[in-house]
């Protein structure tokens, strides 16, 4: 399967550590661990726009849809990073692209996540603020 080329670069990356209990009976990382790593990438990405705390904002993005594609197995000795970028922003949602890559540059897994911005008090969808739009566009170095 061919890894899709994206029309933008990843500016955000965090290293993640594989733990012994992340490895399954076949000797490679269990598929559920990739989602945990993607969550770590999302959290680190968004915290930079929220002053480090979700509680301080009246709205927050929540996962509405997550699609993962696996390209190669990951083993205990692999050194991994999670790359995260916002692909697009709509009125009350945004789309994230993420990749888990090894130190040799090989892509192990990709994820596409649709997140809906919600009012933290009511749970209803809410528009993505101009503050966030501008901060993300500046960070991503492109028009959103």
């Amino acid at each position: 399967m061919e890894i899709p080329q994206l029309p933008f670069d990843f500016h955000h990356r965090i290293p993640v550590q594989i733990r012994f209990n992340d490895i399954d009976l076949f000797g490679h990382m269990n598929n559920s661990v990739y989602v945990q790593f993607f969550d770590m990438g999302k959290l680190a990405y968004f915290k930079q726009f929220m002053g480090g705390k979700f509680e301080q904002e009246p709205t927050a993005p929540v996962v509405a849809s997550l699609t993962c594609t696996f390209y190669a197995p990951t083993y205990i000795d692999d050194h991994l990073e999670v790359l995260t970028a916002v692909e697009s922003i709509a009125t009350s949602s945004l789309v994230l692209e993420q990749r888990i890559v090894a130190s040799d540059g090989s892509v192990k897994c990709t994820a596409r996540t649709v997140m809906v911005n919600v009012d933290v008090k009511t749970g209803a969808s809410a528009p993505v603020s101009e503050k966030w739009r501008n901060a993300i566009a500046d960070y991503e170095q492109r028009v959103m």
Side-chain angles (χ1 to χ4, degrees):
M1 193 172 355
E2 191 171 324
I3 299 163
Q5 296 299 311
L6 300 172
F8 53 84
D9 295 323
F10 289 93
H11 299 289
H12 190 272
R13 57 182 57 225
I14 63 164
V16 290
Q17 182 177 348
I18 302 170
R19 302 163 300 182
F20 179 76
N21 62 322
D22 294 337
I23 303 303
D24 63 20
L25 292 173
F26 300 107
H28 52 68
M29 194 166 77
N30 187 276
N31 60 1
S32 65
V33 177
Y34 292 87
V35 176
Q36 294 173 31
F37 287 170
F38 285 133
D39 283 345
M40 292 169 63
K42 282 187 214 47
L43 177 63
Y45 185 93
F46 286 119
K47 281 178 84 171
Q48 68 187 343
F49 304 116
M50 303 177 90
K53 296 183 180 179
F54 280 97
E55 307 87 50
Q56 295 177 342
E57 297 289 325
T59 65
V62 297
V63 174
S65 171
L66 170 67
T67 305
C68 295
T69 304
F70 300 92
Y71 292 96
T74 298
Y75 300 98
I76 191 86
D77 291 327
D78 288 341
H79 296 278
L80 303 177
E81 287 186 309
V82 178
L83 285 56
T84 303
V86 171
E87 175 192 285
S88 61
I89 304 174
T91 302
S92 61
S93 64
L94 47 90
V95 177
L96 274 91
E97 289 286 341
Q98 292 181 285
R99 291 186 175 184
I100 293 177
V101 299
S103 57
D104 66 1
S106 62
V107 176
K108 301 294 188 167
C109 184
T110 62
R112 181 178 175 86
T113 307
V114 177
M115 300 189 81
V116 175
N117 199 46
V118 298
D119 182 300
V120 295
K121 291 182 181 174
T122 67
S125 65
V128 176
S129 71
E130 286 303 311
K131 174 183 162 186
W132 267 48
R133 287 176 188 280
N134 294 335
I136 292 170
D138 287 348
Y139 183 78
E140 294 292 349
Q141 302 173 10
R142 57 192 161 83
V143 176
M144 289 291 171

